[in-house]
Amino acid sequence: MKVILAGAGAFGQKHLDAIREIGGIEVVGVVGRELEGTRAVAQKYGIANATTELSEALKIPGVQAAILATPTQMHAAQSVECLRAGVHVQVEIPLADSWADAQAVMRAQQETGLVAMVGHTRRFNPSHHYVHKKIVAGELKIQQMNVQTYFFRRTNINALGQARSWTDHLLWHHAAHTVDLFQYQTGEKVVAAHALQGPIHPQLGIAMDMSIQMKSASGAICTLSLSFNNEGPLGTFFRYICDNGTYIARYDDLVNGKEEPIDVTKVDVSMNGIELQDREFFTAIAEGREPNASVGKVLPCYEVLGRLEEQLKGY
């Protein structure tokens, strides 16, 4: 399968590393903001074509699929562009930064019938997959999820310490992981959601602190705290309080409520959530089916985010 990657930054390279572990996939083009840096990434990974224009990469002969790891504000429009070009697409989280744009991508997928998937990696991390399998088997029912998403940010830099050309967002990016995961793990839509945010940063133009509460149809609740002001352990940490046990997930690692490690190495073929996510994308294309984390399956997350954004406008 011939694939292109748009977004040659920190997360784009995580996808290129993951694809190296998956057989039968050839990355034939990479798209980046600056040509010199994009060529350097292409050379590093042995990719024949480097460009600054997605439209050019989509015209490379034989391209079947695209992975988008570009700035958030470009996700929806580029997803639609790929679908209109007849190319299957996986776009990194978030699908969009507005409810209207998320719906536009859904319409393009329905009109083309192509695979359109969103990078909701938490669905694929072995830690969360372990819990999900127990829920599906009827061994667990979530009573509460308590989630902390904490970073320390004073300047606009990426995971490689390089300057970003776009601004990150606690609601549309980081909260999207948990809003989707809560609905995925409970198997229910959110029926009530509330949000509060702290002051807007004068330079970055975003809220640096946020609190979100949600309730599912059966009464499970989720409390999410997000901050760019945290000096301490960084990342997202999930506590599942269930009717039959407590679990704490830290990326691909899982412990019980007593901090005793749980072996998740046999949950799937890899311990790399990005690799598992990409495997699902390529397999869904090959099998002609809807993937886990398809646009259709994650769309309820973006409906909730849209409602929360409207709430926050009043504060």
Side-chain angles (χ1 to χ4, degrees):
M1 186 181 299
K2 295 184 184 299
V3 178
I4 59 170
L5 170 80
F11 223 86
Q13 292 182 53
K14 287 186 178 182
H15 281 285
L16 292 175
D17 290 335
I19 289 171
R20 281 178 164 175
E21 304 299 320
I22 304 172
I25 307 299
E26 180 187 3
V27 182
V28 296
V30 61
V31 184
R33 183 168 56 95
E34 297 177 350
L35 187 57
E36 183 178 355
T38 305
R39 283 174 172 165
V41 171
Q43 183 176 17
K44 175 182 176 181
Y45 289 92
I47 301 169
N49 298 284
T51 177
T52 58
E53 298 296 331
L54 176 60
S55 58
E56 291 184 11
L58 288 170
K59 295 175 183 177
I60 296 172
V63 170
Q64 297 168 267
I67 295 177
L68 306 178
T70 49
T72 292
Q73 293 78 10
M74 304 170 73
H75 286 182
Q78 288 186 333
S79 296
V80 171
E81 181 180 357
C82 291
L83 293 169
R84 297 291 184 216
V87 173
H88 304 284
V89 64
Q90 179 188 183
V91 57
E92 259 311 320
I93 193 171
L95 169 62
D97 59 0
S98 77
W99 173 227
D101 284 349
Q103 291 174 290
V105 181
M106 183 74 254
R107 286 193 297 270
Q109 188 283 321
Q110 291 172 332
E111 291 166 5
T112 62
L114 296 170
V115 170
M117 179 175 163
V118 190
H120 282 264
T121 314
R122 299 295 171 262
R123 289 179 175 232
F124 301 95
N125 290 122
S127 53
H128 299 294
H129 193 185
Y130 177 96
V131 174
H132 187 73
K133 290 174 72 173
K134 284 187 170 293
I135 292 169
V136 171
E139 299 173 19
L140 292 179
K141 182 175 176 60
I142 293 174
Q143 295 170 316
Q144 180 176 176
M145 285 176 61
N146 187 281
V147 186
Q148 299 173 329
T149 294
Y150 291 157
F151 300 96
F152 186 75
R153 181 159 297 161
R154 291 294 179 269
T155 54
N156 206 7
I157 59 173
N158 67 15
L160 296 177
Q162 301 165 339
R164 268 201 182 112
S165 61
W166 56 283
T167 303
D168 205 355
H169 201 285
L170 287 177
L171 178 65
W172 286 101
H173 181 180
H174 296 288
H177 281 293
T178 299
V179 173
D180 177 66
L181 187 66
F182 180 55
Q183 295 185 110
Y184 178 62
Q185 298 290 48
T186 60
E188 300 172 346
K189 287 189 175 183
V190 167
V191 296
H194 304 283
L196 292 171
Q197 67 183 11
I200 302 298
H201 190 279
Q203 280 77 47
L204 296 177
I206 55 173
M208 302 294 280
D209 291 279
M210 190 173 293
S211 175
I212 296 173
Q213 291 179 304
M214 295 176 286
K215 183 178 181 178
S216 76
S218 68
I221 63 173
C222 178
T223 302
L224 169 61
S225 172
L226 308 105
S227 181
F228 284 144
N229 284 317
N230 178 65
E231 291 191 81
L234 306 180
T236 302
F237 314 108
F238 300 80
R239 179 181 289 269
Y240 290 97
I241 301 174
C242 306
D243 60 347
N244 186 27
T246 295
Y247 298 88
I248 303 167
R250 301 181 178 99
Y251 291 96
D252 292 322
D253 296 323
L254 186 69
V255 299
N256 64 20
K258 298 178 181 179
E259 292 285 345
E260 298 168 335
I262 296 172
D263 183 8
V264 294
T265 58
K266 302 296 191 297
V267 170
D268 213 318
V269 297
S270 170
M271 281 291 291
N272 182 340
I274 303 298
E275 178 188 335
L276 295 173
Q277 172 184 315
D278 288 347
R279 284 181 182 274
E280 172 66 4
F281 177 52
F282 300 133
T283 301
I285 294 170
E287 296 178 352
R289 61 169 175 82
E290 183 180 12
N292 188 2
S294 68
V295 170
K297 290 179 179 178
V298 305
L299 199 64
C301 162
Y302 295 91
E303 183 177 8
V304 173
L305 295 178
R307 297 205 312 262
L308 292 175
E309 183 177 62
E310 290 301 310
Q311 285 183 22
L312 292 172
K313 288 178 181 178
Y315 292 95

